[in-house]
């Protein structure tokens, strides 16, 4: 599947391959990327979040109520509070609304390495890092 979508919040390009696995589960591999996506508008938080540009590779599975896969990518632009961050990388497992892996930043004003889990599945988020 190839998708190039233009929306009111920006453009997204996606190349994915799906294959049946078992009982309603499908394997998914591919890449998704976007330039200058108006993320704040999409999230309804334009006062805090601006544009984002990113690229990611996905290798996992999808099914009814299940999304589980490895994601590797980079964020070349993320606007937060009026500042344009760059040089962010991520590599980990995304399972429903939980990320377990590594995020690193090498921006002039943001330099860190995160190793751990962010779980947004419950009403109170859980972090372990």
């Amino acid at each position: 599947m190839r998708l190039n979508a233009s929306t009111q919040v920006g453009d997204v390009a996606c190349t994915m391959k799906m294959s049946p696995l078992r009982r309603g589960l499908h394997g998914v591999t591919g890449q998704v990327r976007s330039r200058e996506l108006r993320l704040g508008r999409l999230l309804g938080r334009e006062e805090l979040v601006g544009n984002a540009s990113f690229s990611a590779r996905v290798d996992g599975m999808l099914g009814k109520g299940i999304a589980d896969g490895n994601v590797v990518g980079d964020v070349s632009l993320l606007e937060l509070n009026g500042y344009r961050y760059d040089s962010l990388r991520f590599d980990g497992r995304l399972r429903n609304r939980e990320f377990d892996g590594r995020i690193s930043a090498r921006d002039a004003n943001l330099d860190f390495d995160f190793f751990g889990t962010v779980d947004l599945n419950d009403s109170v988020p859980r972090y372990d890092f």
Side-chain angles (χ1 to χ4, degrees):
M1 167 185 81
R2 290 179 191 223
L3 170 71
N4 289 310
S6 293
T7 71
Q8 292 180 351
V9 295
D11 301 335
V12 175
C14 176
T15 304
M16 291 285 172
K17 178 181 175 185
M18 292 183 73
S19 55
L21 294 175
R22 63 188 183 282
R23 290 191 231 150
L25 290 176
H26 292 83
V28 178
T29 59
Q31 183 171 359
V32 60
R33 66 183 177 283
S34 183
R35 289 195 65 224
E36 301 285 335
L37 180 70
R38 290 183 283 290
L39 190 58
R41 185 171 180 189
L42 180 67
L43 298 173
R45 299 295 310 261
E46 291 180 85
E47 73 284 357
L48 176 63
V49 182
N51 293 348
S53 296
F54 60 88
S55 176
R57 293 222 23 95
V58 178
D59 184 11
M61 63 180 171
L62 290 173
K64 187 172 183 174
I66 297 171
D68 187 354
N70 295 314
V71 293
V72 177
D74 61 274
V75 178
S76 58
L77 166 68
L78 178 60
E79 294 178 336
L80 293 174
N81 264 347
Y83 183 80
R84 296 172 64 99
Y85 295 97
D86 62 29
S87 303
L88 295 139
R89 298 195 190 294
F90 54 91
D91 183 354
R93 184 174 182 188
L94 190 58
R95 184 178 30 232
N96 296 326
R97 296 181 55 197
E98 178 182 316
F99 176 81
D100 185 11
R102 177 183 182 170
I103 302 171
S104 62
R106 296 296 176 258
D107 182 85
N109 291 306
L110 184 65
D111 188 6
F112 74 88
D113 288 298
F114 169 92
F115 296 96
T117 302
V118 176
D119 185 351
L120 303 174
N121 285 301
D122 293 327
S123 60
V124 175
R126 182 179 66 84
Y127 308 95
D128 183 12
F129 58 94

